[in-house]
Amino acid sequence: MTSRKLARKAAYVAAAAAFAGALVAQPASAAQVTAKYRTVEVAVDNSPGNGAAGWVWVWAGAGDGTIRGTIEYQFSDGYVHSLSTGVGYSKSQSTSSKIKGFRACRTIRVEGYEIDSCGSWNYFW
C-alpha cells in the first residue's frame, strides 16, 4: 500500500472518529425539551447540571394578542405548578423535583377579560 493511500485512509478514520465523538459527547443541555404554543415558547430540563432536580423556562413573544406566557409543569405527585412572564421577557427557575409533564400557555385580553389557553401536555415516560 502506498504512503498516499495510507495517509488518505488514516485521515478518513480520524474524521470518522471525530464525528462519532461529537455525537457521543453532548453537553448537559442535551436533555432539554422544548414546546411552543402560539407566541409562547417553553423548555424543561430534568438534568440541568446545576444540582437541581429540574429546570423550567418560559418566553412570551409579542403578537397574536398575547399579554403573558406561562409554562405549566407537573411533578410525579400530580400537582401542577406554573411560571409566567410578560410579553418580550423570559423567566426560568430550578425545581425541587423532576418534571413529569409540561405545556405552554398564553393569556390574551378580550374586552377587558383575561383568557388563558394552552397547548397539549408533553410527558416524560
Side-chain angles (χ1 to χ4, degrees):
M1 185 176 276
T2 67
S3 62
R4 181 177 237 171
K5 285 184 181 179
L6 186 58
R8 246 186 279 167
K9 284 190 178 195
Y12 176 78
V13 169
F19 180 72
L23 290 177
V24 172
Q26 295 181 357
S29 62
Q32 189 177 103
V33 179
T34 61
K36 184 175 180 179
Y37 178 69
R38 311 285 275 197
T39 60
V40 177
E41 296 180 30
V42 299
V44 169
D45 194 335
N46 271 332
S47 184
N50 64 358
W55 173 84
V56 295
W57 172 85
V58 58
W59 176 81
D64 203 19
T66 300
I67 61 170
R68 181 173 46 255
T70 302
I71 180 170
E72 292 185 346
Y73 56 99
Q74 183 180 41
F75 295 148
S76 59
D77 64 4
Y79 189 74
V80 176
H81 305 265
S82 65
L83 178 67
S84 298
T85 191
V87 171
Y89 295 96
S90 68
K91 193 181 276 189
S92 67
Q93 73 180 29
S94 294
T95 63
S96 59
S97 296
K98 289 201 177 289
I99 297 147
K100 175 184 169 184
F102 70 100
R103 67 181 178 174
C105 302
R106 76 177 185 132
T107 303
I108 61 172
R109 184 172 288 124
V110 177
E111 297 179 8
Y113 295 97
E114 291 187 1
I115 300 170
D116 297 320
S117 61
C118 299
S120 300
W121 281 95
N122 301 281
Y123 290 100
F124 296 96
W125 301 105

